[in-house]
Amino acid sequence: MRQSKTLEALREQFRHPPAEFSPMPFWFWNDGLTREELIRQLHEFHAKEVDGFVLHPRMGLPRTLPYLSEPFMALVETAVSEAAKLGMTVILYDEAMYPSGSACGMVVRQNPDYASRGLQLREFPYRKGESPAFPLIEEESLVSLQAMRVGRDGSLEPESAIVLPHGEDGLPIVLPDESDWRLLAFVETPSRGTIRGVHEGQDDGEADAPPSADLLNPSAVQAFITLTHDVYYAKLAPYFGTTVIAMFTDEPDLLGRNHRTGLMPWTRGFLEEYIAAGGEERELPLLWLEGGERVVESRAIYDAAIRSRMTRTYYKPLADWCESHGIGLTGHPAESDDMGLLRSFHIPGQDVVWRYIAPENEKGITGVHSTMGKCSSDSARHRGKRRNLNEAFGVCGSEGGWSLTADNMKWYLDWLFVRGVNMICPHAFYYSIRGARRDERPPDVGPNNIWWPEYAMFSRYIKRLSWLMTDSMNGAKVAVMGGEAHLPWRIVRPLYESQIEFNYLEESLLADSCELRDGAIHIAGYRYEAVMVEEGWRLSPASWRILQIFAQQGGCLIELTSKVASKTGAGLLRTERETDIPQLLTDCLAMDYRLEPAAPSIRISTVAKGGVLFYVIVNEGEDSYRGKLEMNQGGYAEWWNPWSGECGAAACELSGSGMAAAFQVERRECLIMAIDNNRTPGVKVSRQTESGKTLDLSEGWRVIEGPWTGELAKLSSWTEWKGLAHYSGEMVYEMEFSIDAMSPASSWRLDLGDIHEIARLQVNGKEAGVAMWKPYVFHIGPLVQPGANKLRLSVQNSLANQYDGKSFPSGLIGPVRLS
């Protein structure tokens, strides 16, 4: 049967994806730099199929190489020009070190008035007939003066707030009654915040930590652009728009790090803007005080006003500069669900950091951080952005330090890809791990770690899935309403566990960019037949009116809430239990596929690309899954393996109006089914049942290379061996076994059991492959022979044992089974 040319072309791109989809690692410039070493490292990256990087100045740069100085910029030009020769792409990082906006303190050094500012609440006693004094330093100003009654329990009563005139010095303050009153002064003051710099003495809490800038002040931001962006462009203009593709801005902080306590972000003249946004001066105390009916609403108005100004004064000027210079703005804001702030980004992003999400304790589907993957991808989907990125792996080891494993890296990649992320920025490749540099937000996930010899496998994997998730659309029929700074997670957890695809839809887009038609919401090519709302009190009345029209037209509208019903209307379904959600959706929508049996650890995204439908299946759990994917469409199907690049016909059964495919997906595995609807399904192939013969190969092993050699009485972690509790390195094992001549050699499967952490296997002197996570299974049929056989196994363990003083299990532990 002749195959579709479209499918053939897509398969070839999948097997050999373009360099455009390369991982873009943070490259930490963290030591004395030389031209020769920069070029050497770039060629090493390129040899591992890493075809791009984020040039990131980092703690450890010597003071003899000042940030943005001519010698520094000459080295930048060296790296970028060499990248151009190699066909690599570069993202420039806009700060030294982070958060962005300070130019390593140069903004404030240029003008001290550009330092970050905040609003402080100061409380004073009230004495009738006296004229109180409010001492201010030169850099401060009084924004508002208020009086507030003290209740019987000693707490302030926000409803009693009175705004007092404060421009007439020396006049006594007269209040309306004899109650116990306090005076509240709201003072705009320097935050004294800092950033982490790149030179010795510039880290958090150190005397020379660079001061943070006032990012709500457009003049300060323009100074930042002049000092940073214009300097890069002056040196690298010929590379902009070709080799240099973007500028990365990193979680800007309005108050700075280590700022004075008790402050709210503020800037000169902001009171008028706050009031124009719907705030009231007399409600400023509610930014600090609890109580009163309007606390939530007042804080929401303030937050929205601050975010609006930050977009206008910081993100948009950066985006405009990037666009006018032929590149994109990328990076990420500070919070995992900061979807609204991504609107200005050409490549919206987020960051997996500090193990906020992880394989254990359901952290991948619970809590606010579990929203970050789709925060960036759904922003890109609905705002027409082709790529979205994630800065991944920073301090993500199970016990911090260098404890991150290849196993965990694979889990994080799959977690991101199945949610639609299509640009990966590994954090980080270190120029140097000399001295304390190796402890700067570790580990190095590239050249200085144990998986580097095999890193091309990761590069190809990242390219394949980034390619698939670009210039494609997922098949979500369900939209989940999200806010500017809030994405719900309780309502979507059962969707993940039931393989029901959804996209977050920003509330601000509902009126501005969506069209209601045929009982569905249409935006950017997506068609949503169901809308889900968590805690509907968060939505504006205008948004509720739009959703009511959607429901009246036949759309499915579901609210998850713990409050008494505040909204009613035709078509609105309400529940207090998230476990009800899948059934409510199933009753409303025709589902295109289902798993049998059910599996809460399996994630599925359907992706349409180039006229072919793809099912991306990811196992986020710890156990292998074997089952059946039942689909309501037909067509010719293939299984694609993004790790190996192997592709082959899928055996399917016709089932009613669709078809079904049996499959198995191991832990830490992603499988892709590609379906060409223009061809008929392949014929189901019956599997031959192999005999159940199993050989136990757990005995007879010896260590032939390493700090200890000899025969092993039994397999165990080498950290239990004398003197090796903290050894990090390599051990080489050997053993012999025999099989009889009648055994079906083509079917032999070797399971090495537990190994920590990277296993490279030879069978009878021939390479059998590499495994970096469990299951450590090798299909060795073509390599075994009747009679005597020899296994040679090289195992490399975690560097955390050496660098962090850990004693993690290491080496071949087994049991070893050949079946």
Side-chain angles (χ1 to χ4, degrees):
M1 181 182 295
R2 189 171 62 86
Q3 295 186 8
S4 162
K5 291 183 179 180
T6 297
L7 184 62
E8 287 179 350
L10 291 173
R11 188 192 306 116
E12 182 62 20
Q13 291 177 46
F14 172 79
R15 284 173 169 163
H16 307 287
E20 171 190 3
F21 302 104
S22 166
M24 298 290 291
F26 276 24
W27 186 14
F28 282 3
W29 284 21
N30 63 351
D31 207 335
L33 309 174
T34 68
R35 182 178 185 276
E36 294 73 22
E37 179 62 12
L38 289 172
I39 291 173
R40 186 198 70 77
Q41 291 192 18
L42 274 178
H43 281 260
E44 191 174 354
F45 297 172
H46 189 59
K48 294 295 189 292
E49 302 184 35
V50 176
D51 296 311
F53 56 89
V54 180
L55 195 161
H56 186 359
R58 199 74 181 190
M59 181 65 69
L61 273 180
R63 288 187 178 269
T64 54
L65 189 63
Y67 173 60
L68 297 181
S69 65
E70 181 53 38
F72 176 86
M73 292 305 299
L75 291 168
V76 169
E77 185 177 25
T78 292
V80 173
S81 64
E82 193 67 22
K85 294 174 187 176
L86 295 171
M88 302 172 76
T89 53
V90 179
I91 295 176
L92 300 173
Y93 189 90
D94 68 5
E95 189 52 82
M97 176 166 60
Y98 69 87
S100 291
S102 165
C104 202
M106 289 186 285
V107 170
V108 178
R109 283 199 296 275
Q110 181 184 101
N111 187 338
D113 284 344
Y114 292 165
S116 55
R117 304 181 70 76
L119 189 67
Q120 186 176 54
L121 169 60
R122 298 178 185 173
E123 190 175 334
F124 298 89
Y126 168 70
R127 296 181 180 86
K128 185 175 181 180
E130 291 187 5
S131 178
F134 304 104
L136 302 176
I137 62 175
E138 183 179 351
E139 302 162 292
E140 295 179 335
S141 63
L142 184 60
V143 172
S144 179
L145 178 62
Q146 301 185 27
M148 188 173 290
R149 187 181 292 112
V150 180
R152 292 182 178 179
D153 62 355
S155 63
L156 295 171
E157 298 178 346
E159 293 85 354
S160 67
I162 300 173
V163 177
L164 303 172
H166 57 272
E168 303 177 21
D169 293 339
L171 295 179
I173 294 174
V174 179
L175 296 177
D177 58 42
E178 299 297 323
S179 301
D180 185 7
W181 292 85
R182 300 286 286 177
L183 299 181
L184 306 181
F186 296 87
V187 178
E188 180 197 316
T189 182
S191 74
R192 308 292 186 218
T194 58
I195 72 164
R196 300 188 70 209
V198 293
H199 303 303
E200 185 177 357
Q202 291 189 331
D203 209 346
D204 285 337
E206 295 182 328
D208 197 29
S212 53
D214 182 1
L215 306 184
L216 299 175
N217 181 339
S219 297
V221 174
Q222 183 55 53
F224 171 59
I225 291 172
T226 300
L227 289 164
T228 305
H229 299 60
D230 289 347
V231 170
Y232 275 115
Y233 186 73
K235 179 63 73 172
L236 304 172
Y239 303 100
F240 268 54
T242 52
T243 302
V244 176
I245 62 171
M247 186 77 77
F248 193 109
T249 198
D250 198 355
E251 52 187 52
D253 189 326
L254 294 177
L255 293 171
R257 298 169 67 88
N258 298 299
H259 59 81
R260 295 158 65 193
T261 59
L263 299 184
M264 297 293 173
W266 202 263
T267 193
R268 293 178 177 89
F270 185 66
L271 180 62
E272 291 75 15
E273 189 168 333
Y274 164 70
I275 293 171
E280 296 183 24
E281 183 176 353
R282 69 182 300 272
E283 293 186 345
L284 285 176
L286 299 183
L287 301 181
W288 286 267
L289 305 179
E290 300 297 335
E293 297 179 356
R294 284 184 50 82
V295 168
V296 172
E297 185 175 353
S298 295
R299 292 178 182 178
I301 291 170
Y302 163 79
D303 288 341
I306 286 287
R307 294 166 65 82
S308 175
R309 183 170 178 112
M310 188 180 188
T311 296
R312 189 176 72 252
T313 62
Y314 184 79
Y315 288 115
K316 191 174 189 306
L318 266 59
D320 290 346
W321 187 94
C322 289
E323 193 163 333
S324 69
H325 290 77
I327 63 174
L329 174 65
T330 191
H332 59 84
E335 302 300 329
S336 296
D337 57 353
D338 252 337
M339 199 175 206
L341 291 180
L342 294 177
R343 62 167 53 88
S344 299
F345 287 79
H346 301 99
I347 307 173
Q350 272 292 343
D351 65 333
V352 169
V353 67
W354 293 109
R355 209 173 176 89
Y356 290 142
I357 61 166
E360 69 272 5
N361 302 324
E362 301 183 326
K363 291 167 74 173
I365 55 173
T366 60
V368 63
H369 299 297
S370 70
T371 67
M372 74 169 67
K374 290 188 68 63
C375 178
S376 62
S377 66
D378 292 346
S379 176
R381 286 186 174 104
H382 294 146
R383 294 187 180 275
K385 312 295 174 65
R386 183 168 178 260
R387 306 293 298 275
N388 76 99
L389 68 73
N390 194 280
E391 171 197 336
F393 315 137
V395 203
C396 279
S398 61
E399 296 189 26
W402 286 71
S403 62
L404 181 71
T405 61
D407 174 289
N408 279 186
M409 282 208 307
K410 179 61 162 57
W411 184 91
Y412 281 118
L413 288 171
D414 289 344
W415 188 94
L416 291 166
F417 285 132
V418 80
R419 287 159 174 80
V421 174
N422 61 14
M423 183 182 288
I424 303 297
C425 293
H427 177 298
F429 289 12
Y430 291 31
Y431 178 92
S432 169
I433 57 169
R434 183 172 64 90
R437 289 164 180 81
R438 79 177 187 214
D439 298 322
E440 169 51 40
R441 302 299 190 259
D444 181 318
V445 299
N448 295 295
N449 218 312
I450 60 175
W451 46 74
W452 184 243
E454 319 300 337
Y455 199 84
M457 301 172 73
F458 275 108
S459 294
R460 289 191 288 270
Y461 185 72
I462 290 169
K463 288 178 183 178
R464 289 182 182 121
L465 281 165
S466 296
W467 166 83
L468 181 59
M469 293 299 173
T470 304
D471 301 325
S472 57
M473 297 181 67
N474 73 4
K477 297 180 180 179
V478 178
V480 177
M481 295 305 303
E484 288 273 319
H486 170 76
L487 296 177
W489 62 267
R490 287 178 56 230
I491 200 169
V492 302
R493 173 180 175 170
L495 303 188
Y496 283 126
E497 294 179 324
S498 302
Q499 297 81 47
I500 299 174
E501 194 156 26
F502 72 93
N503 292 331
Y504 284 119
L505 177 61
E506 293 173 71
E507 182 182 357
S508 62
L509 295 176
L510 191 59
D512 296 342
S513 303
C514 292
E515 179 184 358
L516 302 185
R517 187 174 74 247
D518 307 323
I521 290 178
H522 298 258
I523 178 174
Y526 289 90
R527 183 179 190 275
Y528 298 119
E529 301 173 21
V531 173
M532 300 176 58
V533 178
E534 183 174 319
E535 305 293 5
W537 55 269
R538 294 179 179 273
L539 297 184
S540 70
S543 295
W544 269 113
R545 286 193 291 271
I546 294 172
L547 293 179
Q548 290 288 357
I549 295 171
F550 161 74
Q552 290 165 9
Q553 291 180 351
C556 176
L557 179 59
I558 299 173
E559 181 185 8
L560 175 67
T561 182
S562 58
K563 292 180 175 289
V564 176
S566 57
K567 305 291 177 184
T568 58
L572 174 60
L573 304 174
R574 308 182 79 259
T575 181
E576 296 181 2
R577 298 186 302 273
E578 53 262 42
T579 52
D580 293 342
I581 299 293
Q583 188 60 53
L584 290 174
L585 283 171
T586 302
D587 292 342
C588 292
L589 303 179
M591 296 298 173
D592 293 330
Y593 57 88
R594 64 185 292 269
L595 279 185
E596 180 59 41
S601 63
I602 302 298
R603 312 285 173 256
I604 296 180
S605 177
T606 57
V607 177
K609 182 181 177 78
V612 172
L613 180 65
F614 297 89
Y615 287 85
V616 181
I617 306 170
V618 164
N619 185 349
E620 289 183 8
E622 297 303 314
D623 299 309
S624 174
Y625 171 81
R626 186 190 295 270
K628 185 181 293 186
L629 178 64
E630 299 176 351
M631 301 156 281
N632 67 0
Q633 78 279 326
Y636 170 75
E638 291 186 347
W639 286 114
W640 293 7
N641 186 321
W643 185 255
S644 66
E646 296 173 347
C647 303
C652 297
E653 295 178 312
L654 296 180
S655 174
S657 60
M659 61 184 184
F663 70 100
Q664 180 171 350
V665 59
E666 299 286 357
R667 75 181 288 280
R668 304 296 182 269
E669 187 174 25
C670 170
L671 290 177
I672 299 169
M673 173 172 276
I675 299 179
D676 184 350
N677 291 314
N678 296 316
R679 294 181 55 196
T680 56
V683 178
K684 177 174 172 59
V685 179
S686 60
R687 295 186 176 184
Q688 297 294 322
T689 301
E690 303 288 356
S691 65
K693 184 174 183 180
T694 299
L695 301 178
D696 189 331
L697 304 183
S698 301
E699 298 181 352
W701 289 88
R702 58 187 174 274
V703 177
I704 62 169
E705 293 180 20
W708 178 91
T709 58
E711 300 289 333
L712 292 172
K714 66 175 183 176
L715 295 176
S716 63
S717 170
W718 72 54
T719 57
E720 299 174 7
W721 306 351
K722 185 177 181 180
L724 297 181
H726 304 294
Y727 170 69
S728 292
E730 185 179 33
M731 295 273 196
V732 179
Y733 301 75
E734 275 191 355
M735 70 92 62
E736 289 86 26
F737 68 94
S738 295
I739 58 174
D740 60 62
M742 301 301 295
S743 299
S746 63
S747 67
W748 288 112
R749 175 181 184 270
L750 180 67
D751 185 342
L752 295 172
D754 284 340
I755 290 182
H756 301 279
E757 149 183 9
I758 295 181
R760 299 174 178 88
L761 179 68
Q762 290 183 355
V763 179
N764 296 323
K766 297 179 181 179
E767 297 293 333
V770 178
M772 293 185 262
W773 47 80
K774 195 173 182 176
Y776 289 90
V777 170
F778 295 84
H779 295 277
I780 63 173
L783 303 179
V784 298
Q785 58 196 20
N789 291 267
K790 177 184 284 190
L791 301 180
R792 178 185 173 94
L793 180 68
S794 169
V795 179
Q796 211 165 354
N797 72 327
S798 171
L799 288 168
N801 285 7
Q802 176 183 344
Y803 290 162
D804 302 332
K806 302 293 185 181
S807 191
F808 292 147
S810 302
L812 174 62
I813 298 174
V816 181
R817 301 281 190 268
L818 181 65
S819 59

